[in-house]
Amino acid sequence: MNTATSESFCQSGPVKSNAVLVDGMYLNGPTLDIRAAEKFVQEALTLILDEGVRKTADVREKVCDWHPPEELKQMLDLDLKENGETHAKILQRCRDAIRYSVKTGHPRFFNQLYAGLDPYSLVGRLLTETINPSLYTYEVAPVFVLTEEAVLKKMIEFLGWEEGGDGIFSPGGSVSNMYAVNVARYHCCPDIKEQGLSAMPRLVLFTSKECHYSVAKAAGFLGIGTKNVYVVSSDQRGKMIPAELEKQVLRAKAEGAQPFMVNATSGTTVLGAFDPLEEIADICERHKLWLHVDACWGGGALLSRKHRHLLQGIQRANSVAWNPHKMLMAGLQCCAFMVRDKTGLLQRCHSARASYLFQRDKFYDISYDTGDKSIQCSRKPDAFKFWLMWKAVGTHGLEERVNRAVAMARYLAEEIKKREGFRLLMEPEYANVCFWYIPPSLRKMPENREFWDKIHKVAPVIKERMMKKGSMMVGYQPHGDRANFFRQIVISPQVSREDMDFVLNEIEELGKDL
């Protein structure tokens, strides 16, 4: 170890006279030029506001500046090199990242179950990214532990669990559903945590054929096995048929298996269907099964006095997954998993009691060290942006978002029924509007197998054209034996009636020659 005695320069800047040389590195104070960092951040924020906020909200801008992968790789210059680049070059990298990304905040982005831009949520995200906390203990994230607690408490009130409950924010709805399967299994067979799968009976869970694919993924990931996910038939609207559920439960018992859980869905991904929770809950109580409700998409309706009836019976669920980043626009990612249990079930199921984090002799109330309830260690404070947004717009503001989105979907459905060449699959129950476009060349054709084979090819071509044009984004998919159809999701309060008209006009324009 040497002490530098004269002014010289190293990679980190000028060396001070009292610097210490250790392993070839001069240790002479901070290496970050905070003034230069502040200037760069200010310039980057200006760019983000201009390119990422203002332009994204302008319908005259493209939803997507589309380029194929190999071309985009060259345009972005993705290679990582030995030496760093100038701030001006890095700002250009940021500008390019915004330019060539899909603008999910654009008023004509209808492709997924999230959309739009909420300014309060955005500021919440910027704030937490700046502070960079991890939400395992109160000592390192006091503000964010408390805001998560407040948000969960309020969400639990809307579930109708009068005696309260418990919960945790997770990295996504798929992880929340995995939590549900794991907690339900632990509740059924608490020895599994220590003894593992070899000591367990053959466990079976039940879900509808319209459920999210994460349920089967969870069964595979947790060692239950996808063949032990019994799929229950749904009706034409996509709702689980309770009588078919009971048949499947009895079948599993007759096979010698042990049923332990039912996954019901409130707001299916494609059709936006809501399973009949009261009838499903009756069956679960009769057979002593854990009832989980995947309300990732439909949970937002709980804040609407007009539409909360869609989730009637959710108060009887043992656990619920609900994603405020979807209908309520809290920004990705914001996903809550909640249990009605208040005996510490989440803690018992997941805790590992790491002594370097969860010491028992801390100087404050360690019940606020919530991290051991999670399967994660590092965890982002995702609830904060939702809390900040809720504080800003209030429950009434969130309710209005839900009501307006559903009303806008209803307007679109009515316009579809008026237009030649457009056909609804069914009346929308929520904010999913599913429909076919039938080009003029096919409108007089008999609706036989050949007709539907041709219709199946229409939506993919129109989707390609809208993407390359950048005019909008609307999803499509087949469903069972139904040919490809468009699935429009309406969420953002930036969406106008004129945008709904534009969607139909644009689809007709892009597909009239097919």
Side-chain angles (χ1 to χ4, degrees), residues 224-455:
I224 291 168
T226 56
K227 288 187 176 180
N228 291 318
V229 178
Y230 282 23
V231 178
V232 181
S233 300
S234 300
D235 63 19
Q236 285 298 304
R237 291 201 57 88
K239 300 173 183 287
M240 183 189 289
I241 302 171
E244 293 300 315
L245 169 62
E246 187 135 38
K247 286 180 184 177
Q248 293 281 35
V249 173
L250 293 173
R251 169 196 156 198
K253 288 184 175 182
E255 293 171 350
Q258 183 169 337
F260 75 103
M261 172 189 171
V262 173
N263 173 75
T265 308
S266 290
T268 59
T269 305
V270 178
L271 301 179
F274 289 75
D275 288 341
L277 300 181
E278 292 283 15
E279 295 171 78
I280 293 170
D282 288 342
I283 294 168
C284 289
E285 288 182 6
R286 196 152 52 241
H287 294 279
K288 296 182 172 56
L289 303 176
W290 182 280
L291 173 57
H292 172 65
V293 177
D294 175 355
C296 290
W297 171 222
L302 289 167
L303 275 72
S304 166
R305 285 165 288 187
K306 185 179 294 185
H307 300 295
R308 68 174 55 150
H309 66 89
L310 294 170
L311 296 99
Q312 179 60 41
I314 198 168
Q315 73 279 0
R316 298 173 65 184
N318 298 100
S319 63
V320 174
W322 176 2
N323 291 1
H325 74 230
K326 293 186 174 177
M327 175 60 79
L328 300 179
M329 295 177 55
L332 286 166
Q333 56 197 23
C334 191
C335 316
F337 172 69
M338 295 162 286
V339 294
R340 186 152 46 102
D341 176 273
K342 290 189 67 180
T343 68
L345 178 62
L346 273 177
Q347 186 87 13
R348 297 195 308 275
C349 183
H350 299 127
S351 66
R353 299 181 181 178
S355 60
Y356 62 90
L357 281 177
F358 307 113
Q359 302 93 337
R360 310 298 296 174
D361 53 358
K362 290 184 178 180
F363 63 93
Y364 60 84
D365 182 355
I366 61 172
S367 68
Y368 288 98
D369 287 356
T370 56
D372 224 11
K373 294 191 293 187
S374 170
I375 59 172
Q376 300 168 257
C377 181
S378 299
R379 191 164 62 90
K380 284 183 171 291
D382 292 324
F384 178 77
K385 58 198 167 196
F386 186 34
W387 174 84
L388 194 67
M389 183 180 74
W390 203 330
K391 292 288 281 187
V393 305
T395 302
H396 290 311
L398 295 177
E399 178 181 29
E400 184 177 329
R401 286 184 182 179
V402 177
N403 290 344
R404 189 177 186 278
V406 177
M408 198 67 74
R410 169 51 55 193
Y411 171 82
L412 179 63
E414 292 302 317
E415 289 302 303
I416 286 170
K417 289 189 283 188
K418 295 175 186 177
R419 294 200 182 208
E420 184 180 7
F422 288 85
R423 185 184 304 181
L424 282 173
L425 265 74
M426 62 186 65
E427 295 288 337
E429 188 171 35
Y430 195 42
N432 308 47
V433 184
C434 300
F435 61 95
W436 287 286
Y437 171 67
I438 304 168
S441 67
L442 301 180
R443 289 176 191 170
K444 294 182 180 180
M445 184 176 176
E447 294 189 16
N448 51 25
R449 177 64 180 270
E450 183 184 1
F451 170 83
W452 288 110
D453 285 346
K454 289 180 180 294
I455 291 294

Side-chain angles (χ1 to χ4, degrees), residues 12 26 41 53 62 152 160 163 176 197 213 225 274 310 404 415 445 453 511 514:
S12 58
Y26 283 105
V41 171
V53 177
K62 288 185 175 183
L152 286 167
E163 296 181 1
S176 291
L197 296 173
Y213 65 85
F274 289 75
L310 294 170
R404 189 177 186 278
E415 289 302 303
M445 184 176 176
D453 285 346
L514 297 177

